[in-house]
Amino acid sequence: MSMNNQGRPTNIVAGGTDAIVTYTGHRGLMQEEGLSFDRGRSGKWGVDLPEPKNKADRLGGVRRKGEIGLPELSEPEVVRHFVRLSQKNYSIDTGLFPLGSCTMKHNPRLNEKVARFPGFGDIHPLQPQETVQGAWALIDRLAHWLKTLTGMPAVALSPKAGAHGELCGLMAIKAAIEARGEIRRRILVPESAHGTNPATAALIGYTVDTVPATTRGRVDLAALKAKLGPDVAAVMVTNPNTCGLFEDEVLGIADAIHGAGGYFYCDGANYNAIVGRVRPGDLGVDAMHINLHKTFSTPHGGGGPGAGPVVFSEALAPYVPVPFVVAGADGFTNIEQEEDAPAGARPFGRMTAFHGQMGMFTRAMAYMMSHGSDGLRQVAEDAVLNANYILANLKDVMSAPFGDTGPCMHEALFDDEFLKGTGVTTLDFAKALIDEGYHPMTVYFPLVVHGAMLVEPTETESKETLDRFIHAMRSLAAEAKAGNTQGTNRFGGAPYLSPRSRLDETAAARKPVLKWTPPAPKQAAE
């Protein structure tokens, strides 16, 4: 199988090995893989242990009565099963991963090595504090970097992910408002926000009030001001936003919400686009979560592990939750209880049982130290450059709703206007991209754009890689616009070259099959 068969051959590499065509289209070793239960056959074992002698029965009345029900496989069969499954997984290590609003960036292997250092990878949260001073020192240093990069005086490191960070930030805001003797019930959320924003606000008990966007894809400041009142606790704004645009009226947003007595929560999921370039604290932000598992290059996807530290302004700094690390004359101390907090601190409570994700902290710290402040700035610049390169090379054949409002930030946004009259939908286009060797971009998000296609290339993709992706996208756009039957079938049934053809996604979502059921025994005809 070709190790690099992404995209259609371009003029740049047409004479190289990437241009080689095989009989099966590079699929000769793509083997079918069923469920381990279906492969199991009675009488096969990976190990064969003798019955222990003189064993004591400690199970009492809870001993298993029937068969355990696991598939019976030999060790080679088990190994091959999971290796084959792993080969069907698409990841950033496989190729360009253009998911928008997710920052699926390269994870340097140095970070993984550091996370496994003795003293980081094998410590236990219940160890005596004097035995983990090195870990506390790293956490304290990471906190310093995050505060310096964002221009914020305080940080909570315990939140486990972005949505958990949102919860932390809003709980601090709620605590600060209650400390003033006020009760505020509304949170303003732009219509292009990440879905976790209104969900988090509602979870705490707030009423969510939606703020519309302008034709430029940014928050409508006039509409926001019209919704302000004494019952508004905060506004939640993603910046750069989910349309891949910088909120250029962010200072006006901050002034407006502060003038109404509320707080400015910033969703920092897209911080990768501005890290080292813009300090959110200078924009009037009061709280912002940072996805360490996105901006600072730690594993992202598959449900974790993640980390979502929250930085706070001076107004919210007293309400940072426990636990947190403080430095003293005798070393570092982890403050576990609210009553042990330093003078002036008023923690709103606790978010987690222990401090946070140590593996994420070490990876992020390694990433920061290996890049330095100038390198982190270049991360943002290169991410923005790559996104604008894609936008500039595709907007003549694909429709970009905000392509004329100035440069984009970390991601390029397209809609389905260019597909009108072709019979091809956004989903068809995305599925056809699989046949080109690429994981599809994010589709149908943000909701403010009809048939959205959101592409985020990140900073580590080369020009050659981007050119191949652009060529594949342009070729698909040309085929879609051809308007013939062959072209329609090319999209309507895609993907054709993947291990599985297109699924009925609605049925899969509504009626998922989550448990293997043994097939019914065959009955002989009477």
Side-chain angles (χ1 to χ4, degrees), residues 88-99:
K88 298 183 189 306
N89 180 48
Y90 190 94
S91 69
I92 194 65
D93 293 339
T94 307
L96 172 67
F97 211 133
L99 277 183

PDB file of all heavy atoms in Angstrom, residues 88-99:
ATOM      1  N   LYS A  88      -7.148   1.304  10.287  1.00  0.00           N
ATOM      2  CA  LYS A  88      -8.309   1.972   9.687  1.00  0.00           C
ATOM      3  C   LYS A  88      -8.575   3.324  10.348  1.00  0.00           C
ATOM      4  O   LYS A  88      -9.484   4.047   9.948  1.00  0.00           O
ATOM      5  CB  LYS A  88      -9.549   1.075   9.813  1.00  0.00           C
ATOM      6  CG  LYS A  88      -9.411  -0.246   9.081  1.00  0.00           C
ATOM      7  CD  LYS A  88     -10.665  -1.078   9.168  1.00  0.00           C
ATOM      8  CE  LYS A  88     -10.442  -2.488   8.625  1.00  0.00           C
ATOM      9  NZ  LYS A  88      -9.898  -2.511   7.274  1.00  0.00           N
ATOM     10  N   ASN A  89      -7.808   3.670  11.356  1.00  0.00           N
ATOM     11  CA  ASN A  89      -7.996   4.932  12.055  1.00  0.00           C
ATOM     12  C   ASN A  89      -7.246   6.042  11.327  1.00  0.00           C
ATOM     13  O   ASN A  89      -6.069   5.912  11.026  1.00  0.00           O
ATOM     14  CB  ASN A  89      -7.465   4.815  13.490  1.00  0.00           C
ATOM     15  CG  ASN A  89      -7.648   6.098  14.261  1.00  0.00           C
ATOM     16  OD1 ASN A  89      -8.723   6.684  14.256  1.00  0.00           O
ATOM     17  ND2 ASN A  89      -6.596   6.548  14.918  1.00  0.00           N
ATOM     18  N   TYR A  90      -7.958   7.122  11.026  1.00  0.00           N
ATOM     19  CA  TYR A  90      -7.306   8.279  10.401  1.00  0.00           C
ATOM     20  C   TYR A  90      -6.906   9.257  11.493  1.00  0.00           C
ATOM     21  O   TYR A  90      -7.702   9.569  12.383  1.00  0.00           O
ATOM     22  CB  TYR A  90      -8.254   8.962   9.413  1.00  0.00           C
ATOM     23  CG  TYR A  90      -7.558  10.006   8.565  1.00  0.00           C
ATOM     24  CD1 TYR A  90      -7.051   9.673   7.307  1.00  0.00           C
ATOM     25  CD2 TYR A  90      -7.376  11.295   9.019  1.00  0.00           C
ATOM     26  CE1 TYR A  90      -6.393  10.616   6.538  1.00  0.00           C
ATOM     27  CE2 TYR A  90      -6.717  12.244   8.263  1.00  0.00           C
ATOM     28  CZ  TYR A  90      -6.232  11.904   7.023  1.00  0.00           C
ATOM     29  OH  TYR A  90      -5.568  12.836   6.270  1.00  0.00           O
ATOM     30  N   SER A  91      -5.692   9.747  11.420  1.00  0.00           N
ATOM     31  CA  SER A  91      -5.190  10.666  12.435  1.00  0.00           C
ATOM     32  C   SER A  91      -4.265  11.677  11.793  1.00  0.00           C
ATOM     33  O   SER A  91      -3.942  11.587  10.603  1.00  0.00           O
ATOM     34  CB  SER A  91      -4.435   9.898  13.528  1.00  0.00           C
ATOM     35  OG  SER A  91      -3.226   9.380  12.998  1.00  0.00           O
ATOM     36  N   ILE A  92      -3.823  12.631  12.572  1.00  0.00           N
ATOM     37  CA  ILE A  92      -2.895  13.646  12.066  1.00  0.00           C
ATOM     38  C   ILE A  92      -1.567  13.007  11.671  1.00  0.00           C
ATOM     39  O   ILE A  92      -0.809  13.548  10.866  1.00  0.00           O
ATOM     40  CB  ILE A  92      -2.683  14.759  13.116  1.00  0.00           C
ATOM     41  CG1 ILE A  92      -2.007  15.983  12.498  1.00  0.00           C
ATOM     42  CG2 ILE A  92      -1.898  14.251  14.305  1.00  0.00           C
ATOM     43  CD1 ILE A  92      -2.833  16.693  11.451  1.00  0.00           C
ATOM     44  N   ASP A  93      -1.271  11.825  12.218  1.00  0.00           N
ATOM     45  CA  ASP A  93      -0.055  11.105  11.834  1.00  0.00           C
ATOM     46  C   ASP A  93      -0.218  10.405  10.492  1.00  0.00           C
ATOM     47  O   ASP A  93       0.760   9.932   9.910  1.00  0.00           O
ATOM     48  CB  ASP A  93       0.312  10.070  12.898  1.00  0.00           C
ATOM     49  CG  ASP A  93       0.719  10.720  14.204  1.00  0.00           C
ATOM     50  OD1 ASP A  93       1.101  11.898  14.181  1.00  0.00           O
ATOM     51  OD2 ASP A  93       0.652  10.049  15.251  1.00  0.00           O
ATOM     52  N   THR A  94      -1.450  10.319   9.999  1.00  0.00           N
ATOM     53  CA  THR A  94      -1.717   9.698   8.707  1.00  0.00           C
ATOM     54  C   THR A  94      -1.628  10.713   7.580  1.00  0.00           C
ATOM     55  O   THR A  94      -1.124  10.409   6.499  1.00  0.00           O
ATOM     56  CB  THR A  94      -3.121   9.056   8.707  1.00  0.00           C
ATOM     57  OG1 THR A  94      -3.240   8.188   9.835  1.00  0.00           O
ATOM     58  CG2 THR A  94      -3.365   8.261   7.437  1.00  0.00           C
ATOM     59  N   GLY A  95      -2.129  11.897   7.813  1.00  0.00           N
ATOM     60  CA  GLY A  95      -2.115  12.923   6.776  1.00  0.00           C
ATOM     61  C   GLY A  95      -2.784  14.194   7.246  1.00  0.00           C
ATOM     62  O   GLY A  95      -3.141  14.332   8.421  1.00  0.00           O
ATOM     63  N   LEU A  96      -2.944  15.123   6.327  1.00  0.00           N
ATOM     64  CA  LEU A  96      -3.612  16.386   6.626  1.00  0.00           C
ATOM     65  C   LEU A  96      -4.985  16.126   7.224  1.00  0.00           C
ATOM     66  O   LEU A  96      -5.764  15.341   6.705  1.00  0.00           O
ATOM     67  CB  LEU A  96      -3.753  17.217   5.346  1.00  0.00           C
ATOM     68  CG  LEU A  96      -4.599  18.490   5.433  1.00  0.00           C
ATOM     69  CD1 LEU A  96      -3.923  19.508   6.328  1.00  0.00           C
ATOM     70  CD2 LEU A  96      -4.827  19.077   4.043  1.00  0.00           C
ATOM     71  N   PHE A  97      -5.289  16.792   8.324  1.00  0.00           N
ATOM     72  CA  PHE A  97      -6.546  16.600   9.040  1.00  0.00           C
ATOM     73  C   PHE A  97      -7.264  17.947   9.055  1.00  0.00           C
ATOM     74  O   PHE A  97      -7.051  18.763   9.940  1.00  0.00           O
ATOM     75  CB  PHE A  97      -6.256  16.141  10.472  1.00  0.00           C
ATOM     76  CG  PHE A  97      -7.308  15.251  11.055  1.00  0.00           C
ATOM     77  CD1 PHE A  97      -6.957  14.075  11.714  1.00  0.00           C
ATOM     78  CD2 PHE A  97      -8.649  15.577  10.974  1.00  0.00           C
ATOM     79  CE1 PHE A  97      -7.916  13.250  12.282  1.00  0.00           C
ATOM     80  CE2 PHE A  97      -9.619  14.761  11.529  1.00  0.00           C
ATOM     81  CZ  PHE A  97      -9.258  13.594  12.183  1.00  0.00           C
ATOM     82  N   PRO A  98      -8.135  18.212   8.061  1.00  0.00           N
ATOM     83  CA  PRO A  98      -8.647  19.573   7.872  1.00  0.00           C
ATOM     84  C   PRO A  98      -9.850  19.963   8.714  1.00  0.00           C
ATOM     85  O   PRO A  98     -10.522  20.935   8.402  1.00  0.00           O
ATOM     86  CB  PRO A  98      -9.022  19.569   6.384  1.00  0.00           C
ATOM     87  CG  PRO A  98      -9.461  18.169   6.122  1.00  0.00           C
ATOM     88  CD  PRO A  98      -8.581  17.300   6.986  1.00  0.00           C
ATOM     89  N   LEU A  99     -10.159  19.215   9.790  1.00  0.00           N
ATOM     90  CA  LEU A  99     -11.300  19.578  10.625  1.00  0.00           C
ATOM     91  C   LEU A  99     -11.192  21.028  11.086  1.00  0.00           C
ATOM     92  O   LEU A  99     -10.168  21.435  11.640  1.00  0.00           O
ATOM     93  CB  LEU A  99     -11.371  18.678  11.862  1.00  0.00           C
ATOM     94  CG  LEU A  99     -12.033  17.312  11.713  1.00  0.00           C
ATOM     95  CD1 LEU A  99     -12.052  16.620  13.060  1.00  0.00           C
ATOM     96  CD2 LEU A  99     -13.433  17.431  11.164  1.00  0.00           C
TER      97      LEU A  99
END
